[in-house]
Structures are given as structure tokens and as C-alpha cells.
Amino acid sequence: MSGELELKLRDRLAKLKRLHLPGGGMSNEVRRIEQQLEEMGNGDERDEDEIWRSVEFARHPERPYTLDYVERLIGDWIELHGDRARMDDPAIVSGLGSFADRTVAVIGHQKGRGDAVQRVKRNFGMSNPEGYRKAMRVMEIAERHGFPVITFVDTPGAYPGVAAEQHGQGGALAASQATMARLTVPTVACVIGEGGSGGAIALALANRVLMQQFAIYSVISPEGCASILWRDAGQARKAAAAFRPDAVHCLELGVIDGIIPEPKDGAHTDFDEAAKLLGKSLRSALDELKKMNGKELRRDRRARFRSYGVFAS
Amino acid sequence: MASRIDVSIEHKNSPPEPGGSKKHPNTCPKCNSHYRDDELAANLRVCAQCDYHFPVGALERIEQLLDKDSFIEEAADLRSADPLGFFDLRSYKDRIAEAELKTGLGDAMLMGQGKIEGLDFQLTVMDFSFMAGSMGSVVGEKFAQACERAIERKVPLISVNASGGARMQEGILSLMQVPKTVCAVENMRDAGIPFISVLTHPTTAGLLASFATLGDITIAEPGTLMCFTGPRVVQQTVREDLPDDFGLAESNYRFGHLDAIVQRRELKTTLAKLLRLFGHVG
Ligand SMILES: [Zn+2]
């Protein structure tokens, strides 16, 4: 790492350390960040172009989706359908399978690839409340039988439709998080594409949150932010640079625990390699959680989310 | 792609926001009756002609609901930092300073202890006029502390909500307030503390996806817009006319998402009844 880069990195960490973080749980995060940034050799300020590259890769039509990773990483896969009340939402997939020599539950947003028919069928990965209710149902199976839960987050957001609202979209997003907060099994969330706002967090209240190198995670889409702030969705690039949805920024803030490396030119260039790297990170995250019993896992998860916030001192 | 957090709350049937309308803020948007400020305050800011519920600020809400002088504010000094150095048309710091001046509040939520008919509880009240009641670090922190204090003091929590959603100027950390408050509610639930959520116009987006919908009891004032995505964005997405009562409390009640719609003049007695029924904990 060059001298100049190192200076910038030190400056950045100093800034992070100065932020008043209640709960005191963040000093580990700072150490973790230092280590990760060193490893990645990526201490440079990410400029607008680099951040926008993440946005484009995260939404790349050829990017691997949840079922692509399931196919490559999960053995004995059986998909479980339906929320047992209204319907089966194809924008979220869930099921049981084996990973690292044990049974796991896998839940993830699912986008359709290829022609318009396929993409519409999956509703572009935007779930209705029924999708989140299916997710909760499968989480409860995992809880009853002691299976770790792995989630894959990849959605522009929860679906903004009339029926979605009538059937309680907001309440379903909250209930899904509440269910995750109650689990006594290990949980790992991986943001593998777009981590869009409420629709994303509904599957991401986990013990460990990982993010692929070119994934994005944000409170609002760049276009949405731009159209509200500047009344011009065309300013999306500028908006993205302002709120920085990229993985490095999320790691700096302690919002994620680690960055999962991708093939050099993005996960879409080599599904097998991307899956291998993802599998490795998943395995070590689950290994780390083996130390904790059910009560500790639940406490760890809630304490983690309790710590977020920055205040003027 | 349409935005998920819609901070512009607007609807053909929903009451216009204060300042967003050309009408005087004391003129009823539904029937055009005009009131002196003291008249309107004396009627709990409800139109005497048509029952339209005008918006109520946090301080006035406390006056309306609580026993006189029973409110003891807590965590009053919490203020937001500016983690992103966010600048849109003005800097985030300027926007906060301006909202403080306008409302006299430190952020969009007041938190503390209070009493109704002598019954003790923990309270959070939101104020939509402070940056559209948006939830950033301070709102999230105050709510989480309110849950913790309710557990410590073994009293119920009442939260009176009004919010446009997450405060995007705080970036991803504002989104993290959503799971943070959900975890706080879960801790409260484990401790057997009753939680009453009151939705007032408007309570949308990030608030609806977090603590506002997690009450043991969830009630709303008439005409409250309570949707995850705002009508404007939904309309752009589905490109068809929305139902007349889209996202309103009345529609949510019909679809089973609310325990009751409570008129403002009955809110205090309803809350007193609930506090009596749940009793005190421990
Ligand atoms: Zn009127």
C-alpha cells in the first residue's frame, strides 16, 4: 500500500473512532475494519466511478441470484413453497438443504433472468407480504429443529403495489425482522446484489451480515434519492456518491461484518468462482457462531443492532 | 426503479401537510371552516364542523393526553451527527438546525415518563414537523432507550407515531434504526412489558416496517395515512387509479391491520382503559 493511501486510511479510521457510538460494542468493529481493509488493500477513497461500478454490477442482469448459489453450494436441496395463508410468492425462495455437513434453512430474494416473462414472474425480486410470511414460516421450522438460517438478500425493495399494501407490507417487514430477532439458531445474511431498504432488512437481522464486494446496501435507491433531493432521477450517480451504498462503506460503519470477494470483473463473469468464495465466507461465519448457545446467539444479534447510530457529542 | 422510501406524503384524499397547502393552517382542508388558534387547540385540533383531524405537534400532544405536568422528559440532549457529511440543496447540519428553530425540538421524537389518570407509563411522541418525522439515529436511540426504561421501571410503553420514514441523510445508519427498534421491542416483549402503538397521520415507510406495527395493541386516528410505500410511488408503479381510501387507517382497519380507529377526543380515555386492563408489570 502506498504512503498516500495509508495516510488516507488512517485518517478515515480516526474519523470512525471519533464518532460517538453508544453501547461500546464497536471497538471490535474498528479492529475488524482495519484488518479487512489491509487485507483488501483497498484503503483508497472510493470515487464516484467506483461506487457507480458497484451499483451497475449489483444490478447486472447476468449476476448470480439466490438459486444459482443454492445450486452450487447446498446439497439435498428441497424448496419449500407457500405462506400457508394466501399464496406462494416467487420473489422469495426458501428451502432446506445441507451445507458444511449439517442441515440448514436457506431463504433469499429471487430475481428472474433472461426474458421479460422470467423477470416478471419473479417480480424483479420485489416481494409481497406473502413472501415475507413464507420466509417466517421457514425460519420457524429452522428454529424448531435447530437448523442454522442462511439468507441471501437481493431486492430493489419490497413491492410497492396496491394489494401489497392492503395485505400489510409494512407489518410483514416488521414481523419478519421480529422473527429473526427471536431465533435461537445461528443466522448469517449475505447481501449478494441489491440490498434495497426495508425489503432487504426484513431478511438481514442476522448474527453475521456479509456482503459481496460489488453488492450494494442502502436506505433508498440512487434514483429514488436523486428524485427526492434534486427532483431528477438522472442524478442517480451523484446521489450514490453522496450516500455510498458500496460494501467498503458499509464495512467502515460496522453495518456488515465482512466483504466476500468476487471474481475480478464481478460475480457475473464466473458463477462457480463467485459461489466458491461465497461458500468459504459462509462456512467461516457459521464456524464462528458455533461457540454460542441459543440464548447467546439471540443476545448477540440484538446487541449488534442495538449499537447502530451516530450522535453529536 | 421506484424509490422505496417515499418522503413526500400526498394523496387526493389525505389531508395536505402543514405548509404544503396554500390554505391557512387553521383552515379545514375538508370543509373550509376557519378557526382561531385557541379555538382549534381547545377542540384538540379537530374540526368542529366535519371532524377532520388537524396535525398535532409533540408538545401539544403531550398536553392533550397526559395528566397535567406529569411528563418528565428523558434523553433530551441527544442530537444527530452527520455521518456522511451529507449535502443536497443544503447541508444536513443546516436542515437539523432549521428544524430545531422551527419546532423547538432536538429531533423528531420526545421521550420520557408520564401519567394518564394517575397511571404511570413510558412515552414516545413523534413530531412530523421536524424533518417529516423521519427516523435517524436519535429517533431510533430514543425509542430503544424508551423500551429499556419501560423494562427497568416495569411500566407499559405508549408510542404516538407520525413519520415519513427513514432519514435518508443518515444513509444506511438510518435503515439500521429499523432493526434496532425491532430488537428493542422484542426485549420488551420478553420482559412482559405491554406496548401500545398509536398511529397518527402520517405513519409510513420505515416506521411501519419497524416498531409502529409491533404493538400488543395498534390503534390509529381517523384519516391516518399508514402505508409502507406512498400513494404517488405506488401509482407510478401500477399505473392505475388507486382505491379512494388507499393506505388510510380506514382501509387498514378493513383489511385487519388495526385493532381500532379512535377519535382524538376519545384517545385519552382509550389509553387509560388499556393501561388499566394491562395493569402494571411485576
Ligand atoms: Zn372541517
Side-chain angles (χ1 to χ4, degrees):
Chain A
M1 202 181 283
S2 77
E4 197 192 338
L5 281 180
E6 202 177 313
L7 272 179
K8 273 188 183 171
L9 176 58
R10 281 179 196 284
D11 178 50
R12 213 152 162 185
L13 282 166
K15 242 192 289 176
L16 182 64
K17 285 175 190 164
R18 272 201 308 276
L19 295 173
H20 173 56
L21 300 158
M26 301 295 276
S27 58
N28 281 335
E29 296 302 323
V30 170
R31 269 198 297 281
R32 205 195 290 264
I33 289 160
E34 281 169 340
Q35 200 187 348
Q36 277 254 355
L37 288 174
E38 295 283 341
E39 276 170 14
M40 296 200 51
N42 196 358
D44 197 8
E45 279 292 334
R46 306 197 82 203
D47 62 14
E48 203 175 302
D49 290 341
E50 277 180 286
I51 291 171
W52 193 249
R53 190 161 80 125
S54 280
V55 174
E56 284 180 332
F57 278 13
R59 297 169 170 178
H60 197 287
E62 289 303 319
R63 194 174 175 83
Y65 300 142
T66 294
L67 287 176
D68 297 308
Y69 290 124
V70 164
E71 189 188 317
R72 285 166 178 78
L73 296 172
I74 307 295
D76 280 339
W77 170 251
I78 180 151
E79 188 174 340
L80 304 175
H81 293 271
D83 71 345
R84 297 296 185 271
R86 280 198 76 253
M87 61 178 252
D88 183 46
D89 187 338
I92 285 184
V93 293
S94 61
L96 300 177
S98 68
F99 179 74
D101 302 319
R102 61 189 296 192
T103 303
V104 295
V106 178
I107 300 164
H109 300 101
Q110 180 65 39
K111 295 178 179 175
R113 196 192 329 278
D115 59 11
V117 176
Q118 285 306 311
R119 283 181 288 144
V120 168
K121 182 187 151 206
R122 298 288 186 179
N123 204 23
F124 308 94
M126 294 186 287
S127 178
N128 279 277
E130 292 78 9
Y132 293 101
R133 294 189 179 117
K134 171 168 71 176
M136 286 182 253
R137 184 175 78 78
V138 173
M139 287 174 204
E140 278 154 13
I141 296 172
E143 175 73 8
R144 278 201 296 282
H145 300 283
F147 306 148
V149 175
I150 297 168
T151 65
F152 293 119
V153 175
D154 187 13
T155 180
Y159 184 60
V162 176
E165 290 295 336
Q166 290 174 335
H167 300 148
Q169 186 73 284
L173 297 171
S176 181
Q177 291 168 73
T179 302
M180 290 194 87
R182 277 198 291 276
L183 297 176
T184 58
V185 293
T187 56
V188 180
C190 309
V191 185
I192 58 167
E194 291 180 272
S197 186
I201 194 65
L203 294 186
L205 204 161
N207 289 98
R208 293 287 179 272
V209 183
L210 308 172
M211 197 167 160
Q212 280 185 322
Q213 192 177 348
F214 299 112
I216 56 173
Y217 195 9
S218 63
V219 68
I220 187 168
S221 71
E223 291 76 13
C225 181
S227 66
I228 286 166
L229 295 182
W230 296 292
R231 303 264 157 219
D232 178 7
Q235 303 266 29
R237 242 181 127 92
K238 202 168 119 193
F243 69 79
R244 290 181 284 174
D246 58 297
V248 172
H249 181 59
C250 289
L251 184 64
E252 284 175 331
L253 292 172
V255 166
I256 59 168
D257 300 291
I259 297 174
I260 305 166
E262 289 185 30
K264 188 164 77 45
D265 296 312
H268 58 281
T269 61
D270 189 341
F271 282 26
D272 291 339
E273 180 64 13
K276 212 174 93 190
L277 293 164
L278 176 63
K280 194 171 153 231
S281 298
L282 259 177
R283 200 179 294 259
S284 71
L286 283 172
D287 277 348
E288 249 183 76
L289 297 172
K290 271 187 186 150
K291 301 189 281 279
M292 284 186 258
N293 67 31
K295 262 193 170 160
E296 287 166 340
L297 285 164
R298 178 147 75 180
R299 204 181 310 132
D300 165 83
R301 207 179 299 128
R302 293 183 190 175
R304 173 221 180 87
F305 285 92
R306 175 69 183 86
S307 69
Y308 294 126
V310 287
F311 305 96
S313 40
Chain B
M1 197 49 60
S3 74
R4 297 285 85 72
I5 301 289
D6 182 18
V7 298
S8 57
I9 307 300
E10 57 188 17
H11 187 256
K12 52 184 174 170
N13 281 339
S14 73
E17 297 319 314
S21 150
K22 280 177 216 112
K23 282 181 181 171
H24 189 277
N26 288 359
T27 301
C28 176
K30 260 170 92 182
C31 74
N32 277 320
S33 306
H34 184 78
Y35 300 95
R36 287 196 320 272
D37 203 60
D38 59 323
E39 276 178 330
L40 203 52
N43 205 34
L44 306 176
R45 298 205 179 268
V46 176
C47 176
Q49 297 302 314
C50 77
D51 229 25
Y52 168 76
H53 285 49
F54 287 81
V56 180
L59 288 165
E60 189 169 356
R61 179 72 72 175
I62 287 169
E63 235 172 81
Q64 287 184 5
L65 287 178
L66 271 57
D67 296 349
K68 200 168 161 34
D69 298 328
S70 71
F71 182 66
I72 303 167
E73 191 182 354
E74 295 168 321
D77 296 333
L78 271 180
R79 293 291 182 283
S80 257
D82 182 10
L84 293 176
F86 203 90
F87 191 93
D88 43 277
L89 298 174
R90 276 163 297 154
S91 75
Y92 177 39
K93 281 185 172 149
D94 285 351
R95 283 184 190 277
I96 292 181
E98 194 181 288
E100 278 204 52
L101 266 177
K102 188 176 105 185
T103 61
L105 303 172
D107 210 296
M109 179 183 273
L110 287 178
M111 191 272 280
Q113 314 175 15
K115 288 185 203 307
I116 290 178
E117 296 183 6
L119 298 164
D120 214 355
F121 61 96
Q122 195 72 31
L123 175 72
T124 61
V125 186
M126 298 189 75
D127 197 309
F128 193 78
S129 56
F130 193 107
M131 295 189 72
S134 53
M135 175 161 69
S137 296
V138 172
V139 168
E141 181 68 20
K142 282 190 178 182
F143 183 82
Q145 287 193 19
C147 295
E148 287 154 6
R149 285 163 200 243
I151 294 169
E152 269 169 40
R153 298 174 57 222
K154 298 190 166 69
V155 295
L157 174 68
I158 296 176
S159 93
V160 183
N161 308 308
S163 171
R167 187 171 296 168
M168 62 183 163
Q169 287 88 348
E170 291 186 27
I172 189 83
L173 287 174
S174 70
L175 181 63
M176 289 302 120
Q177 305 309 308
V178 170
K180 172 170 154 179
T181 57
V182 170
C183 288
V185 171
E186 284 305 309
N187 284 336
M188 204 165 51
R189 187 169 290 196
D190 289 349
I193 300 296
F195 172 34
I196 300 161
S197 176
V198 182
L199 277 52
T200 74
H201 180 72
T203 301
T204 61
L207 253 279
L208 220 55
S210 62
F211 63 87
T213 50
L214 294 177
D216 291 300
I217 305 292
T218 307
I219 59 181
E221 288 193 330
T224 297
L225 181 67
M226 42 176 291
C227 49
F228 179 67
T229 311
R232 191 173 53 89
V233 172
V234 172
Q235 187 144 35
Q236 280 167 5
T237 308
V238 300
R239 295 198 189 84
E240 59 188 55
D241 285 344
L242 302 183
D244 281 350
D245 61 356
F246 174 84
L248 296 183
E250 289 71 12
S251 157
N252 275 279
Y253 177 75
R254 227 161 11 88
F255 280 97
H257 305 305
L258 279 174
D259 289 299
I261 295 175
V262 179
Q263 298 281 329
R264 191 172 291 158
R265 73 180 74 86
E266 285 158 14
L267 191 53
K268 183 173 180 167
T269 52
T270 303
L271 291 174
K273 195 194 292 180
L274 286 167
L275 288 171
R276 279 197 301 277
L277 289 170
F278 278 103
H280 279 208
V281 190

